[in-house]
Amino acid sequence: MAGVEREARDETTAALFALASQIAADELRPRAGAAEQEGRFPREVFATLGKAGLLSLPYPQELGGGGQPYEIYLQVVEELATAWLAIGLGVSVHTLTCFPIATAGTSQQQDRWLPGMLGGDQLGAYCLSEPDSGSDAAGLATRAVPDGDEFVINGVKAWTTHGGQADFYTVFARTSGEPGGPGRAQGISCFHVPAGTAGVSAAPPEHKMGVRSSATAQVRFEAARVSSRQLIGEPGRGFPIALAALDAGRLGIAACATGVAQAALDCAVGYARQRVQFGRPVIDFEGLQFMLADMATAVAAARALYLAAARRKDAGLPYGQQAAMAKLLASDTAMRVSTDAVQVLGGYGYVEDFPAERLMREAKMLQIVEGTNQIQRMVIGRQLARSA
Amino acid sequence: MNIVVLVKQVPDTWSERRLRADDSTLDRDAADAVINELDDYAIEEGLRLQEAHGGEVTIVSMGPQKAADAIRKALSMGADKAVHVTDEALRGSDGLVTSAVLASVLGRTGFDLVILGSESTDARMGTLAAMLAERLGVPQMSFASKVETDGSKITIHRQADYGYDTVEGALPAVVSVVEKINEPRYPSFKGIMAAKKKPVETLSLADLGMDASQAGLAASATQVVSFANRPPRAAGTIVTDEGDGGAKAAEFLASRKFI
């Protein structure tokens, strides 16, 4: 498979794309199927990515990052996700977890933690959702109570990607107000919590429909003590940080979804070219060829939309609505294209000998994470109502 | 330690490779160009020896303009600087000419250790280490699966069918490596960015004090006089199982000396 031809702006980005596709071909693609079946978290692959500098691409070089615009970083995420979603997703989630300190942390906090977080050795996890607070994130109940120069955190976080595997957790907890009370969003604060902190533990990983090699787990905070120096941003100003991080994170999910859709398209086209029925390759039958044409068009549209949103972000323009659109379109595309890929392969699409069924299971997750697609529509629709 | 790693850009082994119809030389436009696979191991070994003993790693490559891509990749893996010998007159040069040109470059750069892959995936002569060592008057340490040095002496494991020989020599020396020697690193993104600023010296034949008549296809001692494309794969042998399929399959394999 020749792979997606990307628009590199110069030799450096061309070399970066070549590096990502080499790692995808050599380290990711050969292992993805087996690791998904075993449900084994591939920590060593993240070590390889970290050494190669692919875990810190969009952060400034002064902070230890790669200094790349989102337009470039996201194409690397797509490339990795095309080969193995759990890895592309992991890179996107890790990038999300670094967002609060990189954008709202003090220079002391950045100096102290970012070299490790962006250095490639560490992996982060993002703790916002709770068992009873998902789409309604402002209703979170985990509490951080001040005690002298410390905060004591109690609560349970749900659906945490890298839960139990991460080296640090970016945690949103309530420092004032009630989950159902007035001004509840103004009572949320953001904390940097190393995984080794006493009182922090992870439940066994969830048994998911797909993306099983990525660990998803509840994370428990039982009288976990953190220093007030680990508070990111002002107390009570955590929720805007969480939402800003999610705007950026959604672009990562859109890139991942485009990757899954591309993988499903590659699988379907490859099969349709070599599968012979009635004396000719099935791709020569218009019924299938038109289906593949629609799939290819949808993948190109998803890619174009996330890149358009990324260019707005890179230019410093508001991009929340566009990021929501990109996440919505790309993940719905991944679902439809992977479902159609199973159809193109017929019986072979429904069994584990081909990746089509796995990609279909993986696509479903992307319509749910970092804001369900109903929440994306809410974000887009509210903007319409406001600007009307 | 002054370490020089020789790097050759070759057509990707995974793409279809062709010779040109007009002069039987390699058709470089027909396939993607990559670093010769064994050279990745040579670069890695050079970088490891540098990490252990200090000094510099210099990449030397002879090839067309496009070989600059291979050089940049080697620099992004961590090498310090490079020399690129490129000249239209070099096209079609055989091993003897190539070794003369490279020996001349090595005379300019100086070296304690020259490391190269034991063969290239295009020409597959596997003789360059020997030719270079002879021209430079230094020990040839070929097919190394392990390299150790204290800065004045060098010891290698020379890979063989029966195991390995332990071979010792004095520096400076030429070492060719096999893929068993290490696990080459990927470039890092920081390495990619740093590579842009690393010095690459471009030399022509004239810069080396050589004349165009000493190089290229015409000056080469060997030439490809004709070639034939590999015949299409013949139909396989079908063994029909009539209760004795296993024995028949074994007989077939034995007749081809597979078992």
Side-chain angles (χ1 to χ4, degrees), chain A residues 12 26-27 51-52 64 66 68, chain B residues 72 186-190 196:
Chain A
T12 306
D26 295 352
E27 307 285 334
K51 274 206 195 89
Q68 289 305 291
Chain B
R72 200 173 307 108
Y186 290 104
S188 72
F189 184 56
K190 287 194 169 65
K196 283 194 295 187

